[in-house]
Amino acid sequence: ISKIDRIESSNKRDKDLELLELFQCQHSKRDISDVKISRDRQMLAVGSHDTYIYIYAIIFDEGNNKLPMTCELKVLQRLYGHSSYITHIDWSYDCQLLRSTCGAYEILYWDIKKGKQFLSSGDALESDTEWFTDTCTLGFQVMGIWPPNSDGTDINAIDVSKSNNLVVTGDDFDNVNLYNYPCVVKHAPGLHLSAHSSHVMNVKFYNTINGIDNWDNGIVSLGGDSTVIVWSMNS
């Protein structure tokens, strides 16, 4: 992690937005592949190509008229167990658990308080845990998103809608794909959208209607061709 930034605006107009650097630190010498903030905004999880997941406490001081805002990250845990670079991480809704995937197609679950991996196969974590984010490309709930003859790297990113009934994926075939969720049928049917001219590296549901928290009306996709495409969804 190199920076923690905050956007401030004096009169809320876009042209007045100012990006301020509040903190710098570096604990990994390899690339950072995923960053997720916990639901309570108290912790930050960082996945690295060094196979570690770094858990930080976010120490934030709003400041006042005389003192500027300050921010600090304190290392809480360094999680080790994956045999390849980290690809995706998700926080649980209660901020107690973490789910992660890696380049070796492993999906692991972590106890954040203890800083240890859950090893018991008797714990029904995947089905019993409510997740704050759903971006891991592996797991029972999304096993149907993988196309025929996939080598395990063809899906770069996924996101599950707030209504929990749709999952969107971005793949190496320049497509944005939309499926029913959970998506458990092998090679599940879906809607395949093509507009990017290179790999789709990230996808995200969004909501433009104020006051509605559990509904999405659009998708944003980011391509390796350096384009950002906004897709509207009609009910």
Side-chain angles (χ1 to χ4, degrees), residues 12-13 15 19-20 36 39 51 65 70 79 91-92 94 96 101 118 137 139 153 160 163 171 206 209 212-213 227-228:
K12 306 301 181 183
R13 292 183 299 181
K15 67 178 182 179
L19 194 63
L20 301 177
K36 292 288 195 322
R39 176 177 172 267
T51 73
N65 292 333
T70 61
L79 309 178
W91 282 98
S92 64
D94 61 6
Q96 300 298 308
T101 55
F118 281 101
T137 57
T153 64
V160 175
S163 55
D171 64 29
Y206 74 94
I209 301 177
I212 300 181
D213 296 328
T227 62
V228 177

Side-chain angles (χ1 to χ4, degrees), residues 151-183:
D151 65 359
T153 64
D154 295 326
I155 303 296
N156 299 313
I158 76 166
D159 191 33
V160 175
S161 64
K162 292 182 179 65
S163 55
N164 233 37
N165 64 344
L166 294 173
V167 56
V168 62
T169 75
D171 64 29
D172 280 352
F173 311 109
D174 315 340
N175 294 325
V176 174
N177 311 288
L178 192 63
Y179 303 96
N180 289 323
Y181 181 83
C183 185

Side-chain angles (χ1 to χ4, degrees), residues 28-154:
S28 174
K29 296 181 180 179
R30 302 291 300 277
D31 292 342
I32 300 301
S33 49
D34 201 3
V35 177
K36 292 288 195 322
I37 297 177
S38 61
R39 176 177 172 267
D40 60 8
R41 300 296 189 262
Q42 299 298 310
M43 291 179 288
L44 181 73
V46 178
S48 172
H49 277 220
D50 63 7
T51 73
Y52 288 96
I53 300 173
Y54 300 84
I55 307 297
Y56 298 89
I58 303 175
I59 304 170
F60 196 72
D61 187 345
E62 288 282 355
N64 51 46
N65 292 333
K66 296 182 179 179
L67 298 175
M69 178 188 305
T70 61
C71 179
E72 182 182 353
L73 297 182
K74 178 183 177 182
V75 177
L76 294 178
Q77 306 285 359
R78 189 176 71 159
L79 309 178
Y80 177 73
H82 279 290
S83 56
S84 185
Y85 60 91
I86 308 303
T87 54
H88 303 283
I89 48 181
D90 287 318
W91 282 98
S92 64
Y93 202 78
D94 61 6
C95 310
Q96 300 298 308
L97 304 176
L98 201 71
R99 172 176 61 187
S100 59
T101 55
C102 74
Y105 319 127
E106 302 165 342
I107 180 167
L108 303 182
Y109 299 88
W110 308 88
D111 184 323
I112 295 303
K113 190 173 183 178
K114 296 180 180 178
K116 295 183 178 181
Q117 177 189 344
F118 281 101
L119 298 176
S120 174
S121 59
D123 294 328
L125 289 176
E126 189 167 1
S127 59
D128 294 345
T129 301
E130 184 178 4
W131 296 100
F132 178 55
T133 58
D134 281 287
T135 62
C136 288
T137 57
L138 303 176
F140 175 78
Q141 305 278 33
V142 293
M143 64 182 186
I145 65 174
W146 294 91
N149 305 315
S150 175
D151 65 359
T153 64
D154 295 326

